[in-house]
Every structure is written in C-alpha cells, then in structure tokens.
Amino acid sequence: MGKHGQKNACAVAEHSCVRPRRAFRASAIARDHYMVLGVGYDASPAEIKTAFLKLAKETHPDANGKDPDAVLKFQRVTEAHDALGDSVARRRYDSELCRNPTRATVV
C-alpha cells in the first residue's frame, strides 16, 4: 500500500508515492511514459531503448499510412522516450510524477 493507503504505489526504488490510475484526456493531463513504452518503473536504460525502437517502428506514420492517428501515436512514443531515455530527464520526470501522482495517465 502507498503512504495514502492506495494500492498503486510508485515502484521506483527511491520514491514512495501514490500512483492512482485514472483516465483523463491527454490534452489536459500528462501521460505515464512508462506505460506508453510498456516498461516497468524499474526498467533499465537498455529496456527503455529496446521498447522505444520496437514501438517507433510499429507506430511510425510511414509504416501506418492508413491510420489517421499514426502521427499522434508516434509522437507519444517519442515523447515517452525523450522523458525516459536520458538519465537526468528520467530523474526529473520521476520526481515530478511522484509530486503530482494524479497527473499521470495513459491516453
């Protein structure tokens, strides 16, 4: 249980915050980049890179020309990699996510 009695506690080792899963519109709320990439909160940089390369290949607009949401999907994957691919950016993202646990969602 998290420190507020909820089950979805942050799995990042140095953080102990509550991470409720809520469905909000993407325009108003930040996405949970770990879920976008399909990796755990304790994923290694190599796992993040592998997940990004796989999803980037699958969601690239050139490979999905008939999908009207292809550009948006690719942008979400790229945004997630930008936030998690660099160790400094990842620490900043993790600390922001734990300060504002209700902001994160997958949309």
Side-chain angles (χ1 to χ4, degrees):
M1 293 240 176
K3 63 182 177 182
H4 298 290
Q6 296 179 358
K7 291 183 179 179
N8 295 335
C10 183
V12 179
E14 63 268 10
H15 303 291
S16 62
C17 66
V18 177
R19 299 180 45 81
R21 295 180 188 201
R22 304 169 122 185
F24 294 106
R25 290 189 339 216
S27 61
I29 304 299
R31 283 177 283 290
D32 186 335
H33 297 310
Y34 290 99
M35 290 184 177
V36 170
L37 292 179
V39 297
Y41 297 106
D42 58 347
S44 69
E47 291 171 319
I48 290 171
K49 183 177 180 178
T50 301
F52 166 70
L53 292 175
K54 178 183 175 203
L55 289 172
K57 187 175 182 180
E58 291 174 5
T59 61
H60 196 279
D62 291 344
N64 296 297
K66 295 183 181 185
D67 184 1
D69 295 327
V71 173
L72 181 60
K73 290 175 185 177
F74 184 71
Q75 286 174 342
R76 288 179 181 171
V77 170
T78 302
E79 181 182 310
H81 181 259
D82 290 345
L84 301 177
D86 176 54
S87 62
V88 174
R90 183 176 180 180
R91 277 195 302 272
R92 185 173 36 235
Y93 173 76
D94 287 343
S95 67
E96 179 65 27
L97 194 61
C98 285
R99 270 187 261 141
N100 299 309
T102 59
R103 288 190 62 212
T105 187
V106 175
V107 178

